[in-house]
Each structure stands twice: as structure tokens, then as C-alpha cells.
Amino acid sequence: MPAEPISILKSINSGKVYPLNEVRFTSDNGELLDVIHDFERIKKQHKISKEYFFKKRVIINDQPSGGVWHFKELILPEIHDDHIISKQEGNTRLYRSKKVSSWLALKQDKFYLKHEGENPTGSFKDRGMTVAITMAKQLKQKAVTCASTGNTSASLAAYASEAELTGLVLIPKGNVAVGKISQALAYGTKTLVVNGDFDDCMRLIREAQEKLSAYPLNSINPFRLEGQKTIIWETLMQLNWNVPDWFVFPGGNLGNTSAFGKAVFEAYELGLIDRMPRFAVIQAEGASPFYKAYKNNFTGLKTEKAETIATAIKIGDPVNYTKAVRSLKWTNGIVESVTDEEILEAKAHVDSAGIGAEPASCATVAGIKKLIAAGEIKPKETVVGILTGNILKDPQVIVDYHLKKKSPLANPPYDIEAAIGEMKKFL
Ligand SMILES: *Cc1c(COP(=O)(O)O)cnc(C)c1O
């Protein structure tokens, strides 16, 4: 008798299953797909436990590798190591900051910032990209595409180059931070600037999959989410598998919200954790369809025209909505929204603490501030905030902030003559 496959694609509501090697992103009736692994078998095969992951050593491309592929048997158990396309993504730092925690009035030993901006191309997108691009190769795809607010295109560009695949990225005109678009150009993908917004780009990507056989690497691709699960597992390991009370992170297309829910659900199922953390998803006020749906008890998503300085979460029609709702149900989760001004203030604090992150990432910290004020997050609780992207992604926002006199933490540059007396004034 042929063995049952260890991993399958499964539609999230109707439960209809498809083989892993079928190129598809929704079920026949349009539902999102999960990658589902047979954990009973995997657990038996590998004796999965907390200790297993502590002791395990992974070698990819002849190098010791933690991060994403440390959890290979829970992501793509059957992939041959030699077929993995990896830049050693993950292994990011978990910071404790005296400055930021005191601004938030949280205990320094209970507040952590997980910095996903420390990935190879400067955002968490690399964690999903390594898995999805590996699958693209397995599925013998020729061309890969994405719609992007910037970071997905930077990541796709770097990985497509490594994998020798033709890359095509779609970015909305005038809305992408300079650090991100320059990466896409530098790594050598074809960059198409679309006269429209992110949601228009996303629509084109779905059409290009059907009509041009271009393989999408957006978070509608369920393999992307498999990689992004490791943000949670890695953090849990850094915390000795102790479960924090809260994970707080920004929501745009809601890929992380979906992946993180699956990560804690699976960790619980595998006995790696004994309770579920709570999630708080933070949206920018001008791009908050998920927040509004939450306020209406998830009776439906109303798409909107998005507007915010945090371009990475400037999305009005999140593709992963149904998965994200499920994540919040699993984690007794909440959604909050913050203004651009609150994002910039939080960013100034994260930046001046010597950590730094791009605007969308700092929505996390602005959200924590607001949730503490509202009494949702208690000062004694353990909080992990996810910083999604690197400070250098959006330098323009930083310069603009510090050149404005009315910015509360403005730290402008000063012009001086080349004389020591001029320097003395500043000491
Ligand atoms: C993509 C991105 C987000 C949004 O993440 P979703 O998973 O789409 O909700 C947030 N911050 C940064 C820096 C990003 O690049």
C-alpha cells in the first residue's frame, strides 16, 4: 500500500484536500489553503519535543543553520536538504530595551522586541521567501511574481536571483520606500511600477497566475506562511519555551497574523507549549479594515482605500482575512489601530533606543502603548513585540521627522564652521 502523503494542501473551511505538488493557491471554491502536516507521524519519526529542538543541529549548504530550517520537519518535512534555497534567514535577536520599556511603563525583564529587520534583506519576508522559493523550484516554475509594498519585492528579488528564476515585481506608484525599491533594482528583478494601489497590484498577480503561469510569492502562497511560523517558534525557544502573555505585531495583508496563529496552534498540538499566548494585531488608522471588522465581531470585511505613512501596512483589502480571523479566535486576540503620529512617536523611541525599525514595525510599539493605556495589557504581563523591518528601509521618513521642529524627539543635524569652538557648544 502506498504511504499517505505526510503533507497536503487543505482548504480552510470546507476541508477539501489537494496534493502538495499541485500549483494552486485557493480551493476550487476560492477558499485559502493551509499546508497541513501529519504531526502524529512526524512526532514519532523525530521524537519532537522542546529538548529535541534545543539539541538539534542543522547544516544547510555546508553551514550550521538555525532560524527557519531549524524547524524543517514542521515546515517542509520531505524536502531534500540540497534543494533548499536559503540565506540562513531567521536567528534574529530578541532585545530587551531599558529605554523603550520605561517609555511603555513595562518591566524591562518582561518586555522583548524581536527584530525581524535583521533578516538577509531586512525584513521578515525572507522567512517566508526561503520556503516559497524552494517550493517554486520543486514545482518547476519558471517565473515568480509578487505585489509588494516594498519588502516582498526586495526579498523576492534576492531569492529569485539566487534560485535563477525570472522575477517580476509589481509595486504601486509613489508608495514604496526608497530603501526597498532600490533593493529590487539592485538584485536584478524586473520592477513594474503600477499606476494603482497595492490592492490593484494584488489583483494583477492573481490574474497573472492563471493567465501567465507566473508563480505568486505573496502571502496568499501558503508556503510563505509556513516559513513565517518560525518567528514565533524561534521566539519561544529564546524564551526557553516559556509562553509570553502577548505577541504584538502589525497587520497589513495579515500573513503574519495567519502564520503566527498556525504556529501557536501547532506548538500546542505538538506539546511544545502548554497554553496559548494572546495576540494583538496593530493597524494604521488609515489602513484598518481588519480593525473595523474586529469591532463588528467579524461579521465581514469591508475593503477600503488605504492611506498611511507606514507603507508596509498600507493595504485596504487583506488577502489573508479569513485565516487571520481564525488566528484571533485561537488566541483570544484583539486588534487595535494607531495614528501615523503615534507610529512616528513610537518609532522615535525605538530608534533613539539604538534599536531602530521602519514605520510599520513601530506600529507594534505604538499599539502596545495604547493597549497599556486602555488596560488591555497589564504592566506585569510579558509582552513580545515584533519589529518587522529594518530602520534603513525608509530613511526619508526619518530625515523628515528630525528636520521638523515640532517633532517631540527631533534630533536635527547642525551646520558648523570647521573650528573647535563650534564643536564645544554641543558638549
Ligand atoms: C509585509 C510587512 C508587514 C505586513 O505584514 P502582513 O503579514 O502582510 O500583515 C508589516 N511590516 C513590514 C515591515 C512588512 O514588510
Side-chain angles (χ1 to χ4, degrees):
M1 214 173 73
E4 288 286 311
I6 207 146
S7 309
I8 49 161
L9 296 172
K10 187 172 181 185
S11 38
I12 69 163
N13 293 322
S14 63
K16 182 151 197 274
V17 302
Y18 304 92
L20 206 67
N21 62 5
E22 192 172 321
V23 179
R24 64 156 60 235
F25 302 90
T26 50
S27 65
D28 291 331
N29 62 351
E31 291 172 33
L32 293 171
L33 301 174
D34 275 324
V35 183
I36 298 289
H37 311 290
D38 186 342
F39 282 143
E40 282 302 313
R41 264 160 74 197
I42 293 167
K43 208 172 164 172
K44 267 195 212 122
Q45 258 173 34
H46 300 281
K47 302 202 169 47
I48 300 283
S49 67
K50 296 177 197 181
E51 293 70 36
Y52 171 78
F53 286 112
F54 280 135
K55 288 201 189 118
K56 192 179 167 196
R57 295 243 312 146
V58 183
I59 310 287
I60 307 276
N61 305 334
D62 303 326
Q63 293 192 19
S65 180
V68 170
W69 296 101
H70 190 75
F71 301 97
K72 180 186 140 181
E73 44 284 82
L74 310 181
I75 299 171
L76 279 185
E78 292 186 308
I79 191 86
H80 193 290
D81 282 355
D82 295 344
H83 296 165
I84 290 174
I85 293 155
S86 169
K87 296 176 180 292
Q88 301 178 50
E89 43 294 302
N91 268 328
T92 56
R93 294 179 190 87
L94 189 62
Y95 289 104
R96 286 204 297 213
S97 165
K98 201 170 174 176
K99 276 191 175 165
V100 182
S101 53
S102 78
W103 179 62
L104 290 170
L106 282 171
K107 288 214 170 80
Q108 196 196 341
D109 62 348
K110 297 207 159 190
F111 172 63
Y112 301 86
L113 285 168
K114 174 79 168 159
H115 209 326
E116 287 299 300
E118 297 177 347
N119 271 296
T121 75
S123 83
F124 73 83
K125 299 296 196 301
D126 295 339
R127 293 206 190 233
M129 204 55 71
T130 177
V131 182
I133 226 104
T134 295
M135 274 312 285
K137 277 296 235 198
Q138 288 295 295
L139 298 168
K140 309 242 174 333
Q141 300 297 296
K142 297 275 181 310
V144 290
T145 57
C146 71
S148 179
T149 60
N151 283 332
T152 307
S153 56
S155 185
L156 180 151
Y159 283 82
S161 170
E162 172 98 24
E164 298 182 271
L165 289 168
T166 302
L168 202 61
V169 306
L170 266 52
I171 59 174
K173 195 172 180 169
N175 280 309
V176 172
V178 64
K180 305 178 187 181
I181 192 165
S182 47
Q183 282 180 289
L185 302 177
Y187 297 140
T189 42
K190 286 276 173 292
T191 303
L192 309 184
V193 182
V194 176
N195 190 8
D197 62 12
F198 174 83
D199 302 302
D200 292 318
C201 296
M202 197 61 228
R203 186 171 41 77
L204 278 174
I205 289 301
R206 287 171 185 265
E207 225 177 301
Q209 194 257 314
E210 277 170 33
K211 299 185 179 157
L212 310 174
S213 299
Y215 188 77
L217 292 174
N218 278 100
S219 54
I220 193 173
N221 184 315
F223 299 107
R224 271 266 315 265
L225 303 190
E226 287 305 285
Q228 287 167 218
K229 294 190 302 192
T230 62
I231 299 172
I232 296 294
W233 294 338
E234 196 178 287
T235 306
L236 287 167
M237 273 189 75
Q238 285 168 312
L239 297 174
N240 235 332
W241 290 108
N242 289 315
V243 181
D245 296 298
W246 292 95
F247 279 103
V248 186
F249 49 90
N253 230 352
L254 304 175
N256 273 338
T257 311
S258 306
F260 292 1
K262 194 167 186 283
V264 290
F265 185 91
E266 291 177 351
Y268 189 85
E269 200 184 348
L270 286 160
L272 296 169
I273 56 173
D274 53 12
R275 69 180 179 108
M276 293 289 260
R278 292 186 72 189
F279 285 179
V281 181
I282 314 301
Q283 293 210 293
E285 197 173 88
S288 56
F290 192 51
Y291 171 72
K292 285 164 196 148
Y294 163 76
K295 284 285 170 192
N296 287 320
N297 297 313
F298 293 126
T299 45
L301 178 75
K302 260 179 76 184
T303 63
E304 62 186 50
K305 184 104 194 122
E307 193 49 64
T308 168
I309 196 164
T311 49
I313 48 174
K314 189 175 165 183
I315 293 173
D317 185 9
V319 297
N320 289 299
Y321 173 73
T322 41
K323 282 186 180 174
V325 173
R326 182 180 70 175
S327 288
L328 289 205
K329 290 194 171 141
W330 284 339
T331 60
N332 188 19
I334 58 177
V335 189
E336 186 54 274
S337 88
V338 291
T339 63
D340 281 2
E341 209 178 353
E342 289 167 328
I343 290 173
L344 288 176
E345 189 189 0
K347 175 169 160 58
H349 284 278
V350 173
D351 289 357
S352 70
I355 294 175
E358 69 164 282
S361 310
C362 298
T364 291
V365 177
I368 295 171
K369 181 96 179 155
K370 202 164 168 184
L371 290 169
I372 291 170
E376 282 279 6
I377 295 179
K378 310 281 186 295
K380 62 173 194 341
E381 290 182 312
T382 306
V383 180
V384 175
I386 311 289
L387 298 177
T388 44
N390 196 285
I391 186 173
L392 291 173
K393 290 283 192 171
D394 200 344
Q396 195 59 50
V397 163
I398 302 175
V399 173
D400 290 348
Y401 179 88
H402 289 289
L403 289 181
K404 260 196 211 113
K405 281 215 178 62
K406 66 175 175 43
S407 301
L409 276 79
N411 180 33
Y414 299 92
D415 293 326
I416 62 162
E417 297 305 323
I420 197 77
E422 296 259 306
M423 271 180 79
K424 204 174 165 206
K425 287 190 277 190
F426 295 94
L427 288 174

